[in-house]
Amino acid sequence: MHDETRSVSKVSVSLTGYDSLTVPIHRASTIRYPDAASFAARFERDADGYVYGLYGTPTHRYLEKKITELEEGARTVLAPSGQAAVACTMLALAKSGERILIPDTVYGPVRDFATHELPALGIEAVFYDPLDLKELGGLINSSTRLVWAESPGSVTLEMQDIPAIVEMARARGVLVGCDNTWASPLNFRPLRHGVDVVVEALSKHLSGHSDLILGSVTAREDTLGVKLKAAFGRLGVGTSPDDCALVARGIETLAVRLKRSTASGLEIAAWLARHPCVETVSHPALPEDPGHEIWKRDFSGACGVFTFTLKDQYADRAFSALDALELISIGASWGGTKSLIAPTSVKALRSVRPWTGPDYLFRLSVGVEHPDDLRRDLERFFAALTLHAASAA
């Protein structure tokens, strides 16, 4: 055999006695078949079989199985992002002439997708008030295929009554999907409450280190899960095994990280609620929050992500004051070990009930830093805020 051939020829390595404590990374585009007949029959393999790298490797299967286990579902399909998981699920479940109902508080990019892409495909996207079950019931008609939910809602954190929505939709033969990224499956399991598909942005809590983009969708019934898997494959949706291995590693510390960020987040949220510069704090786990009773009834825990607003006299000076922060970074996303703050405007993201609150809300994602250090950093922000206010006066 020539050296050129020998260089690319595969050699066998025994795996006897090898059982890695960590998740091995299997990279592949091509899957090698033992003979021509196996190759010809490759699409006859079951949904968990290996056909081509796009449809997964053992690394993908491990993460799919782990998330399915956590969600208490039947099958999980991975996507390149949480946004892709939502968008591809909607494309897989609805066809031209059908309707999808979407909460007015949905994640901004999902609203953008529903507004621009779904109508182009003949799918009607209708936004509904997440807190008005009567209105929602009136919107469910014979063409409705899917009711989407996100609880708590993006940025403003309104709590939806998921069991009531499921009961209403099921009576009409309509599927229910839920974005569960805020809670993660450790704190809320929508499938347990009758939801048909649940999406997680794995970039957040489950990966936990702000270094990858990935998403998942888990189906309550395997038939629906296989349908989603097939549709994702037809759309060419694939994910990196390296990212899958990182999420699998992140899941191992998920419970510990969530416990720490939740405790610190509640401590910071309660402190902010008493601060003279703060107008409101939105956190479902706070007793005074409007959605607290639903959260207490359905959820087993919270997280360190919540929103606060400033009093009117400070609002227009907030951007420059944010530059005083030294520990908390300004940036999108959340759920990592490091704390983040994101000034966010929601006026343009509401169409059912106009937003009448402040122009900007401040979403805080509390990481694993000590809460005393985070308070000191926020005090730098408030000191800069009041200094600017005094200077303007």
Side-chain angles (χ1 to χ4, degrees):
M1 184 183 292
H2 291 281
D3 287 342
E4 294 90 339
T5 305
R6 184 178 289 111
S7 296
V8 297
S9 296
K10 190 173 181 179
V11 297
S12 297
V13 177
S14 173
L15 295 178
T16 302
Y18 178 78
D19 186 9
S20 175
L21 187 62
T22 61
V23 181
I25 299 174
H26 296 270
R27 300 185 184 92
S29 55
T30 297
I31 305 297
R32 189 167 67 165
Y33 293 81
D35 49 51
S38 297
F39 181 74
R42 64 193 183 280
F43 293 115
E44 297 174 15
R45 295 182 174 187
D46 65 32
D48 293 316
Y50 300 107
V51 175
Y52 186 67
L54 175 68
Y55 310 109
T57 71
T59 308
H60 295 83
R61 295 288 182 272
Y62 178 91
L63 182 59
E64 291 164 356
K65 187 173 182 179
K66 177 56 67 176
I67 293 173
T68 300
E69 179 182 69
L70 290 173
E71 299 281 11
E72 297 182 355
R75 179 176 296 277
T76 294
V77 183
L78 301 175
S81 65
Q83 169 72 1
V86 176
C88 291
T89 296
M90 290 182 176
L91 293 177
L93 297 182
K95 62 180 185 293
S96 179
E98 293 184 330
R99 167 184 281 193
I100 298 177
L101 304 180
I102 302 169
D104 203 34
T105 50
V106 74
Y107 176 51
V110 173
R111 171 182 285 274
D112 193 41
F113 166 78
T115 301
H116 293 91
E117 306 305 328
L118 290 181
L121 299 171
I123 300 170
E124 183 185 16
V126 178
F127 294 96
Y128 68 89
D129 186 331
L131 303 180
D132 192 336
L133 290 172
K134 183 177 180 181
E135 179 206 25
L136 175 59
L139 292 173
I140 299 176
N141 59 20
S142 59
S143 66
T144 305
R145 173 61 173 160
L146 175 67
V147 175
W148 195 255
E150 184 174 337
S151 184
S154 183
V155 183
T156 44
L157 302 178
E158 293 88 348
M159 295 295 299
Q160 293 191 258
D161 192 334
I162 300 298
I165 291 172
V166 167
E167 182 180 7
M168 186 185 304
R170 184 168 290 172
R172 306 285 291 275
V174 175
L175 296 172
V176 178
C178 180
D179 185 330
N180 190 49
T181 304
W182 184 87
S184 89
L186 267 59
N187 290 327
F188 183 53
R189 290 187 168 96
L191 302 182
R192 186 184 287 179
H193 293 269
V195 167
D196 297 286
V197 291
V198 57
V199 163
E200 306 283 352
L202 304 178
S203 320
K204 309 295 195 294
H205 294 311
L206 274 73
S207 68
H209 291 80
S210 309
D211 57 0
L212 62 89
I213 306 292
L214 211 64
S216 68
V217 53
T218 303
R220 186 165 55 90
E221 302 292 342
D222 193 54
T223 301
L224 184 56
V226 171
K227 178 178 180 177
L228 289 169
K229 181 179 175 67
F232 278 44
R234 286 190 290 269
L235 291 168
V237 173
T239 58
S240 163
D242 297 78
D243 288 343
C244 291
L246 286 173
V247 174
R249 185 174 68 176
I251 288 174
E252 294 183 4
T253 60
L254 175 59
V256 177
R257 288 184 287 102
L258 268 180
K259 183 178 180 180
R260 175 57 183 258
S261 64
T262 298
S264 297
L266 282 169
E267 187 175 330
I268 296 296
W271 172 74
L272 284 172
R274 301 188 300 269
H275 200 282
C277 294
V278 173
E279 182 67 28
T280 62
V281 174
S282 297
H283 193 319
L286 291 177
E288 61 270 23
D289 190 271
H292 180 71
E293 290 306 313
I294 290 179
W295 173 84
K296 187 168 65 172
R297 183 193 69 191
D298 296 341
F299 286 58
S300 60
C303 71
V305 180
F306 63 93
T307 302
F308 68 92
T309 64
L310 298 172
K311 291 184 176 176
D312 288 343
Q313 63 265 39
Y314 303 113
D316 60 349
R317 300 173 181 88
F319 275 36
S320 56
L322 284 172
D323 294 340
L325 293 170
E326 297 177 5
L327 181 61
I328 302 170
S329 298
I330 302 170
S333 198
W334 38 267
T337 59
K338 299 174 179 63
S339 294
L340 294 170
I341 193 167
T344 306
S345 175
V346 299
K347 279 190 175 181
L349 302 176
R350 299 290 183 270
S351 57
V352 177
R353 181 187 295 177
W355 178 253
T356 58
D359 284 348
Y360 277 89
L361 296 84
F362 299 85
R363 187 181 65 194
L364 188 61
S365 171
V366 175
V368 300
E369 305 96 338
H370 197 286
D372 288 349
D373 295 324
L374 294 175
R375 266 194 299 268
R376 277 192 289 270
D377 204 38
L378 287 166
E379 284 290 15
R380 295 185 188 99
F381 164 65
F382 289 123
L385 199 64
T386 53
L387 178 63
H388 291 324
S391 300

